[in-house]
Amino acid sequence: LRFLTGLGILVFLSFTLSAESPLLAFQRGKTLQQQSNYLSAVAEYRSALQQNPNYLEAWVGLSECFLAMQEYDQALEAVVEARRLGGRSVNVMNLHADVLLSLARTEEAGKVYSEVLLLEPNNTTALLGRAQIALAENQPDVALEEFQRALDRSSNNRTALLSLAIVADAQGLSDAADRYIQLALQHHNNHPAVHLIAARQAYQRGGVSQALYHTATAINLRKDYFDAILLQAQILMRQQRIAEAKASIEQLIRLQPDNPSVWYLNAVASDAAGDTDNALYDLERALRLNPGNEFVRATWETLLRKSTELDSAKRMEAASYHVNLANGYVSQNLRIRAG
């Protein structure tokens, strides 16, 4: 009897742990998602869904992660499942529309946003989505109106303020753009994206020290903020502060070692510092990562001509590329003419 009682407890505990495991996997996924660890979050959400295929929140989290990773087709598959389970949930509907918009399916996205606004006329997310559609359709005036509507319904909304600042600036409405960015800084001073946009606008107006202040603040708020570090490096390069720029570029390399643009920027900095050998090495690395980038190739060849002998192996390599390219065009032309 004692054995059977113990066995019953084990069976009960096993069942209980099994029943809890989708929730635990979901909670781990949510935590990882909040930390921007999207790949690991996807694994946890999938684990939850393997045990409970009708777990709405896990489908939503999965779609959000794929959207953040720009895996839009997979984001769509997940959110379609969420729509099946979530019915008329406006949050799920908005996510569906956001994914469709990311896939450039603007007409479908607009219909879903409109459905949301029928249910909730003041839904800020849907209003912002319609503004994004207006931008995608090259209607900046309509976008400004939609962003303003969103701001009117959600006072000090960060996305609306930043969007209004960017669109107004692109339309040449500098005073309005400055006003929106100042409001964003006033109400969202601890958000790195606000400081990044402020830095860009300050630099466009010639405010170098102000731009560097905002890039530094953005990086302090988010240590791995690639776009802010890149802007910082570019500003420092243009100010001929090469050593400081190189320090920023080293951070970029650590964050994205396979990004050819980072190696190109490092080459420009090395060349400015008089380090031609490293500049050539960095340009060659950029070309290995993106062989079709003719701008980088032209820069590499120009530097080769300045720094190497006519019969150097590197020059021969550069020449053979063009010979092979020309031969390829000749062969292609002959095939076309042959019909």
Side-chain angles (χ1 to χ4, degrees):
L1 182 61
R2 201 175 297 168
F3 170 75
L4 290 175
T5 303
L7 183 62
I9 292 171
L10 287 173
V11 170
F12 173 76
L13 286 174
S14 175
F15 175 79
T16 303
L17 288 171
S18 176
E20 286 180 351
S21 56
L23 174 61
L24 293 173
F26 169 78
Q27 289 173 336
R28 288 192 298 269
K30 197 68 178 175
T31 299
L32 290 163
Q33 182 183 352
Q34 290 167 349
Q35 295 169 351
S36 300
N37 189 347
Y38 299 117
L39 277 175
S40 298
V42 163
E44 293 293 349
Y45 287 138
R46 287 195 187 282
S47 175
L49 290 165
Q50 281 180 342
Q51 297 166 81
N52 180 5
N54 293 322
Y55 201 153
L56 170 62
E57 291 81 3
W59 283 115
V60 170
L62 190 63
S63 182
E64 289 172 341
C65 286
F66 281 130
L67 183 60
M69 293 190 295
Q70 300 181 6
E71 299 288 349
Y72 301 131
D73 290 330
Q74 294 183 78
L76 182 61
E77 290 176 11
V79 79
V80 165
E81 287 297 317
R83 285 293 304 269
R84 178 180 65 81
L85 297 165
R88 303 288 280 178
S89 163
V90 293
N91 290 335
V92 177
M93 292 169 73
N94 274 328
L95 177 60
H96 187 197
D98 289 346
V99 174
L100 290 169
L101 181 56
S102 298
L103 286 163
R105 291 163 60 171
T106 54
E107 186 175 350
E108 295 169 79
K111 288 178 181 177
V112 180
Y113 287 133
S114 294
E115 289 177 31
V116 171
L117 291 169
L118 284 174
L119 296 171
E120 293 185 4
N122 294 328
N123 188 282
T124 306
T125 302
L127 290 170
L128 291 171
R130 292 215 308 195
Q132 294 289 346
I133 290 173
L135 282 180
E137 294 176 347
N138 197 27
Q139 298 177 319
D141 292 337
V142 174
L144 280 172
E145 291 176 8
E146 293 285 7
F147 282 129
Q148 188 61 57
R149 283 184 63 196
L151 189 62
D152 291 342
R153 285 156 178 77
S154 179
S155 179
N156 304 321
N157 180 279
R158 186 185 73 247
T159 301
L161 285 169
L162 292 180
S163 299
L164 282 164
I166 293 168
V167 178
D169 199 50
Q171 291 291 94
L173 305 171
S174 300
D175 290 343
D178 290 343
R179 185 170 66 254
Y180 289 126
I181 202 66
Q182 288 305 314
L183 282 170
L185 287 167
Q186 179 183 338
H187 295 286
H188 307 283
N189 195 47
N190 289 326
H191 198 285
V194 174
H195 286 278
L196 176 61
I197 303 303
R200 286 174 176 163
Q201 293 196 355
Y203 190 59
Q204 286 172 4
R205 289 155 178 65
V208 173
S209 59
Q210 189 179 5
L212 287 173
Y213 164 78
H214 284 299
T215 56
T217 304
I219 296 163
N220 284 333
L221 290 167
R222 179 177 158 191
K223 300 299 182 186
D224 62 347
Y225 200 175
F226 183 89
D227 290 344
I229 301 169
L230 177 61
L231 180 60
Q232 182 186 64
Q234 290 169 333
I235 294 172
L236 290 168
M237 282 288 298
R238 289 167 189 159
Q239 295 298 306
Q240 296 299 307
R241 294 162 62 174
I242 306 302
E244 294 169 84
K246 288 281 283 185
S248 296
I249 296 167
E250 286 173 7
Q251 294 180 61
L252 296 172
I253 291 171
R254 284 195 293 272
L255 290 171
Q256 294 189 15
D258 294 329
N259 186 328
S261 297
V262 171
W263 289 105
Y264 173 78
L265 187 60
N266 202 42
V268 173
S270 294
D271 186 46
D275 189 352
T276 303
D277 289 342
N278 273 323
L280 287 170
Y281 172 84
D282 291 339
L283 289 168
E284 288 162 16
R285 183 153 187 170
L287 282 173
R288 285 196 297 273
L289 292 166
N290 185 5
N293 191 317
E294 293 301 324
F295 179 77
V296 174
R297 184 171 296 279
T299 305
W300 177 59
E301 291 175 359
T302 299
L303 195 55
L304 275 177
R305 286 194 294 271
K306 290 180 179 178
S307 60
T308 61
E309 298 295 329
L310 187 61
D311 58 351
S312 74
K314 291 293 183 184
R315 283 211 193 188
M316 296 298 291
E317 179 186 339
S320 66
Y321 168 83
H322 292 286
V323 170
N324 292 334
L325 192 65
N327 288 337
Y329 286 136
V330 169
S331 298
Q332 184 181 26
N333 187 44
L334 290 172
R335 284 196 300 272
I336 293 170
R337 292 176 63 183

